[in-house]
Amino acid sequence: MSMKFIKAIRELQTHPGRTFLAVFALILGIWGAGSVFVSYYILTRDLNQNFQRTLPAHLILESDDFSGLNLREFRQRPEVESAEFRDFSLHRIETYPDVWVPVLLYGVENFESFEIARVFHQEGAIHPPLGSILMERDGKLISDIHTGASPRMRVGSKVVNVPVSGICFDPAQAPATQDHIIYAYTEKDSYAALTGLSVNHRLIIRLKGVSSAKEVKDRADVMIAALGKKGISMTRTSIPLFNEHPHQWQLNTLLFVIGSVGFLAFLMGAVLVSQLMQSIMAGQIRQIGIMKSLGATPFHVFQIYTFMLLIMGLTASLVAVPASVITGVQFSRFVAKILNFDILSVVPVYIYLLLVMAGLLLPLVLSFPLLIRGTKTSVLKAVRDYGISAGISGLNGKFQKITQFPWLTGSFILAVRNSARNSRRLAATIITMSLGVAIFSTGFNVRQSLWNLLTDLENELRYDVQVVLGEKITQEAAMLPFENLVNVKTVQAWSGGSGVIQSDVMATNTTAGIVALPYNTDLLKPRIINGRWLQKSDETEVVLNQQAWQLYNFPEPGADIELTVGDSSAVVRVVGIVEQFDKAKVFMDRAKYDAAFNPAHLVNTLTFAAQNDDYEQVITLKKEIEKAILTSDLDVLYVMTNAGRVRVIYAHLNIILSTILILSFLVLLVSAVGMASTTTINIGERTREIGVMRAIGATPQKIYSLFTNEGMIVSVSSIILGLILAYPLSQAASVFFGRLMLGEQAILRYAFSPWGFGITLMITLLFGWMASRLPAVSAVTKISTREALAYG
């Protein structure tokens, strides 16, 4: 074995404590970054691959009469890859006794051979027998429905028992656990028999050679014109998100968070290894001089310390790389379960190799300038080195005036000056620790911002229960079944509905949902971010939420836009923009809506406010409403409580909230290990100083308090700087998450988390206390005066 390699190993064994801390920090960094890299590799491929293997539709055309369409001929068009009729309708299904949720029922042409919008068999029947359905697998997580069950389903005004003959998997759908909608599939004859609806009114199309939604739209315009010449007019045209899963935004958010935080954790670990190398070389300047005087070249010296870095990197990689692969795969499975897709990828060998190379090379790259500078030290300068200079210079000199206060104790003044001896290391330690504090605090602040979003939603929705009907009827007929309800303070009839699971019953031709309600209602108070709310006016006014604002190309308050609902159009004036975590919505006064689009004054939404709005009383009111619906002939799509709607939105955000805190804690942990490593390095460099202090009468308690004071100074400085950095970082994070979740023009409001501040302060002080006291105890108790004086 090479003597250079043997010396490298022995140098690392000389101070096992500080070597262990540096390697442990690097393990944490590689583990964090490696887990991110592995999960990034899997998730970016598998969500999209799951989605793409369904052969999703690029275009959806709806018409009251497609009888003039020859589907076989249509499929021969050069731009058409595949097309079929896939009707769907929204009903309700009983998931638990007296608990009903929406069910989206699709009528499928051929379960044996899907050419578009595929679903995949999981269990039971592949082709559902006549009168039965297949349920999408995620529905099992929000119900007790299983293969062989016959849950009650309400279709229009009738309740039927529908056999579930099998379970299928549709990765193109939003997760049932988040949207609280069950997806079901049946063949066309069963669809017509169950729903009483005619079929072949919804044509789904997949196009050849398209690369953007704009290309889809251009081809759609040509198709619609061609169909119009055959007398086929469209009632609605939809272009889904192009090649994008409905919850791609969640994955994008997760990947951004874990990518940035994981890389930072890795970088911090590598910096700590570099600091250890700086300490080792600083203590061995005279050894380097002796080796050179005996004939060693700078390259020989460079090899010794390179071996040390490679040994630490390899040791950390051997532990961290397998752990990071396991963690990355498990995290990917966790995300896949939440977003309802399958893990298809196997981590290839080159991922392992890349992680090992990163663990080996990054510490070397960061330490490279130090290695070059150390190996170029002349023999004369090296043999004359006596360690840290006794003079006060640099940052220490700047502290000299600060410490000239009579009320400061001598040990504290000495601790301040000792902390500033190595200004570069002090700066690196404080910056590393403060970044950990800032990111951890930012995680809580972003969580608070998102939580405030949910609180705003609760404040916005002043009603307690909302009933949305599948068809518009007169207000009198809608109200009739609920006349004898108790605990009802007020009830209003609207056209349209609010919420993430808003149905397609009433929407503009651009897919923006319409909510027509009294302009002076006190049951809906969204936050105005520009302009004003509706008021009594001679003009037809509308208020847009942020998504609708984006859909209509960001009109300013006072601008006119054209709304088209079915065959009717009206020019309306935008008077305000509101903040909502919701689909695109257009709010307008019900009277103005009726005048423009609804001459029969029909309604499809009943909004109830409870007299007693305690949670238990609201749930009781919901059950009473369900009972009234069951004995009525109303066609009801869903009944949702305010609390239930908040729960649905929280389910969308919870995975992001949890991941932010877990990863930000990892960064804080790495920074705390870094501080412990730095303290250990400082104590190791000052071993002889400890012996001198003992020799002149310093007690172990005095020496212990000196080092703990130094740790306190670094901890407090890091906390202050970290909390200062947390403010702009939280502001930036709020903007990022707001735009990602609410649209390009949206801004999630910054919020300060008092709980987060308290937890951050408590954990950081605890970590700082441990990082300074554990090495200090070791220095005081494990090194004798004789050993300390003989050190060097």
Side-chain angles (χ1 to χ4, degrees):
M1 183 181 292
S2 168
M3 289 300 297
K4 294 188 286 281
F5 188 74
I6 293 172
K7 176 172 173 55
I9 294 176
R10 287 179 177 174
E11 289 298 337
L12 292 174
Q13 292 175 336
T14 302
H15 299 287
R18 69 183 184 186
T19 301
F20 170 78
L21 284 174
V23 173
F24 181 61
L26 190 57
I27 287 173
L28 288 178
I30 296 173
W31 173 59
S35 300
V36 167
F37 188 53
V38 171
S39 58
Y40 184 90
Y41 172 85
I42 294 173
L43 294 175
T44 51
R45 284 162 174 76
D46 288 6
L47 179 62
N48 187 59
Q49 191 173 341
N50 273 261
F51 179 70
Q52 293 301 329
R53 70 178 180 147
T54 67
L55 301 178
H58 294 138
L59 176 65
I60 301 171
L61 302 179
E62 297 179 43
S63 174
D64 290 333
D65 185 9
F66 271 116
S67 60
L69 175 68
N70 184 322
L71 187 56
R72 177 177 293 182
E73 209 175 90
F74 182 81
R75 288 171 175 160
Q76 299 304 314
R77 292 177 65 98
E79 72 271 29
V80 175
E81 179 181 310
S82 56
E84 74 170 55
F85 287 110
R86 182 76 60 85
D87 295 288
F88 83 93
S89 50
L90 192 58
H91 309 285
R92 305 183 75 220
I93 194 167
E94 191 175 32
T95 53
Y96 297 101
D98 298 323
V99 178
W100 297 74
V101 302
V103 56
L104 200 55
L105 182 64
Y106 289 90
V108 180
E109 283 190 2
N110 187 354
F111 282 90
E112 313 266 331
S113 177
F114 284 99
E115 294 183 357
I116 186 173
R118 292 173 174 172
V119 296
F120 302 93
H121 173 258
Q122 293 270 287
E123 64 179 61
I126 296 176
H127 187 292
L130 189 65
S132 69
I133 63 172
L134 303 181
M135 183 179 72
E136 208 284 325
R137 70 181 189 183
D138 219 37
K140 296 170 68 175
L141 301 177
I142 62 169
S143 71
D144 62 0
I145 301 173
H146 52 84
T147 300
S150 294
R152 291 193 295 177
M153 189 165 78
R154 186 177 179 94
V155 182
S157 59
K158 64 180 181 179
V159 177
V160 295
N161 287 88
V162 182
V164 177
S165 56
I167 303 297
C168 62
F169 170 42
D170 187 350
Q173 300 288 9
T177 51
Q178 295 192 14
D179 285 355
H180 282 255
I181 295 179
I182 285 181
Y183 301 93
Y185 308 82
T186 190
E187 55 90 28
K188 287 214 167 184
D189 290 341
S190 297
Y191 178 86
L194 284 170
T195 65
L197 302 171
S198 59
V199 296
N200 297 346
H201 292 294
R202 180 175 178 267
L203 181 65
I204 59 175
I205 304 164
R206 185 170 173 84
L207 302 172
K208 293 178 182 176
V210 290
S211 58
S212 67
K214 183 180 183 305
E215 290 185 22
V216 174
K217 185 179 184 308
D218 292 341
R219 297 193 186 185
D221 292 340
V222 175
M223 284 184 187
I224 292 170
L227 292 173
K229 292 178 181 179
K230 296 183 178 182
I232 303 173
S233 60
M234 298 299 112
T235 56
R236 188 175 179 189
T237 301
S238 302
I239 299 176
L241 290 172
F242 187 77
N243 286 346
E244 188 173 303
H245 186 273
H247 284 195
Q248 185 70 44
W249 65 270
Q250 282 182 303
L251 185 61
N252 291 342
T253 306
L254 286 173
L255 293 176
F256 174 83
V257 171
I258 65 178
S260 56
V261 176
F263 176 75
L264 181 59
F266 180 37
L267 186 62
M268 291 165 68
V271 168
L272 294 174
V273 174
S274 175
Q275 285 187 358
L276 172 63
M277 185 55 57
Q278 180 185 10
S279 170
I280 292 174
M281 294 192 72
Q284 296 186 359
I285 292 295
R286 298 181 73 184
Q287 289 187 33
I288 293 173
I290 293 171
M291 284 188 289
K292 282 187 172 184
S293 67
L294 295 175
T297 66
F299 181 68
H300 290 146
V301 178
F302 180 85
Q303 283 181 303
I304 293 172
Y305 295 105
T306 299
F307 280 148
M308 294 174 66
L309 287 168
L310 292 177
I311 290 169
M312 288 190 287
L314 182 61
T315 303
S317 297
L318 290 176
V319 176
V321 170
S324 64
V325 171
I326 293 171
T327 306
V329 171
Q330 291 302 319
F331 180 76
S332 299
R333 288 176 179 168
F334 167 71
V335 174
K337 183 177 181 181
I338 290 176
L339 296 184
N340 191 29
F341 65 94
D342 286 338
I343 295 298
L344 305 173
S345 298
V346 176
V347 181
V349 174
Y350 78 83
I351 295 292
Y352 289 83
L353 295 177
L354 285 174
L355 292 175
V356 172
M357 287 178 61
L360 291 173
L361 295 180
L362 189 58
L364 188 59
V365 169
L366 292 177
S367 302
F368 188 77
L370 173 68
L371 296 179
I372 296 298
R373 189 167 56 251
T375 55
K376 286 186 176 181
T377 304
S378 67
V379 174
L380 182 61
K381 181 179 179 181
V383 296
R384 287 182 174 179
D385 181 77
Y386 290 94
I388 300 171
S389 173
I392 297 175
S393 61
L395 187 61
N396 202 337
K398 296 177 182 178
F399 274 117
Q400 189 176 22
K401 293 182 179 179
I402 299 175
T403 56
Q404 301 303 313
F405 295 103
W407 48 271
L408 292 176
T409 64
S411 61
F412 182 81
I413 293 173
L414 186 58
V416 172
R417 291 179 174 176
N418 285 338
S419 298
R421 279 181 172 181
N422 191 323
S423 57
R424 290 183 179 179
R425 185 183 301 161
L426 175 65
T429 304
I430 291 178
I431 290 173
T432 302
M433 193 74 177
S434 62
L435 279 175
V437 173
I439 292 173
F440 193 56
S441 181
T442 296
F444 279 103
N445 290 341
V446 171
R447 185 181 177 89
Q448 185 66 44
S449 296
L450 294 173
W451 188 256
N452 286 356
L453 180 68
L454 300 181
T455 304
D456 289 344
L457 177 64
E458 289 186 288
N459 295 332
E460 170 191 331
L461 307 179
R462 306 294 178 87
Y463 56 83
D464 296 294
V465 184
Q466 189 177 70
V467 178
V468 176
L469 308 177
E471 59 183 12
K472 291 181 282 187
I473 60 177
T474 64
Q475 180 171 330
E476 293 74 17
M479 293 281 200
L480 185 60
F482 310 108
E483 287 182 342
N484 297 321
L485 291 178
V486 297
N487 192 31
V488 175
K489 178 181 179 181
T490 183
V491 57
Q492 290 182 2
W494 298 356
S495 293
S498 182
V500 170
I501 61 172
Q502 161 71 14
S503 71
D504 293 328
V505 171
M506 205 177 88
T508 68
N509 288 12
T510 56
T511 72
I514 293 182
V515 183
L517 70 177
Y519 70 88
N520 58 351
T521 181
D522 56 357
L523 299 185
L524 183 69
K525 297 293 182 183
R527 179 175 175 268
I528 304 290
I529 58 176
N530 195 4
R532 59 172 174 81
W533 182 246
L534 302 170
Q535 63 185 26
K536 189 172 182 179
S537 173
D538 294 332
E539 295 180 331
T540 303
E541 299 179 346
V542 297
V543 170
L544 309 178
N545 71 1
Q546 290 162 310
Q547 290 71 23
W549 185 44
Q550 185 172 348
L551 189 64
Y552 284 98
N553 296 318
F554 312 110
E556 292 296 323
D560 292 335
I561 61 173
E562 184 177 8
L563 292 185
T564 302
V565 179
D567 296 327
S568 302
S569 296
V571 175
V572 299
R573 177 150 298 176
V574 177
V575 296
I577 313 297
V578 297
E579 181 182 76
Q580 277 193 324
F581 182 80
D582 205 345
K583 292 184 178 180
K585 293 291 171 61
V586 178
F587 300 92
M588 60 189 305
D589 178 49
R590 184 183 157 192
K592 299 293 178 149
Y593 170 79
D594 288 351
F597 305 111
N598 186 28
H601 305 288
L602 303 180
V603 301
N604 77 311
T605 300
L606 296 179
T607 306
F608 295 83
Q611 189 76 37
N612 184 341
D613 59 0
D614 290 341
Y615 179 78
E616 292 78 8
Q617 295 299 321
V618 171
I619 296 301
T620 300
L621 174 60
K622 181 178 182 290
K623 290 181 179 179
E624 293 299 318
I625 290 173
E626 293 280 15
K627 290 178 182 178
I629 291 170
L630 200 58
T631 57
S632 74
D633 60 355
L634 292 179
D635 175 11
V636 176
L637 292 181
Y638 65 81
V639 179
M640 178 69 77
T641 64
N642 188 347
R645 196 180 309 286
V646 172
R647 183 185 64 184
V648 168
I649 296 177
Y650 181 78
H652 286 73
L653 301 178
N654 187 46
I655 182 175
I656 298 171
L657 298 175
S658 303
T659 303
I660 288 173
L661 290 184
I662 291 171
L663 289 176
S664 57
F665 180 78
L666 173 63
V667 173
L668 184 61
L669 180 60
V670 172
S671 65
V673 172
M675 180 179 171
S677 177
T678 302
T679 303
T680 303
I681 292 170
N682 288 338
I683 291 174
E685 291 177 345
R686 292 159 61 188
T687 302
R688 180 174 290 180
E689 180 185 319
I690 293 172
V692 172
M693 287 190 290
R694 284 183 172 181
I696 62 176
T699 63
Q701 183 60 38
K702 284 285 186 181
I703 298 172
Y704 175 80
S705 65
L706 175 64
F707 287 116
T708 54
N709 282 338
E710 291 176 24
M712 182 193 69
I713 292 167
V714 174
S715 294
V716 172
S717 301
S718 301
I719 291 171
I720 293 172
L721 180 58
L723 293 176
I724 292 172
L725 289 174
Y727 178 74
L729 195 59
S730 299
Q731 293 272 22
S734 298
V735 171
F736 170 79
F737 286 116
R739 287 178 176 171
L740 189 63
M741 294 183 298
L742 305 177
E744 285 300 317
Q745 301 300 314
I747 296 178
L748 186 67
R749 295 192 308 281
Y750 161 79
F752 172 74
S753 172
W755 277 100
F757 174 81
I759 293 172
T760 301
L761 193 62
M762 181 177 64
I763 291 179
T764 308
L765 287 174
L766 176 63
F767 281 179
W769 183 86
M770 294 174 63
S772 60
R773 277 157 178 74
L774 294 181
V777 168
S778 177
V780 171
T781 61
K782 294 185 179 181
I783 303 176
S784 67
T785 303
R786 183 181 61 81
E787 291 173 333
L789 289 172
Y791 180 83

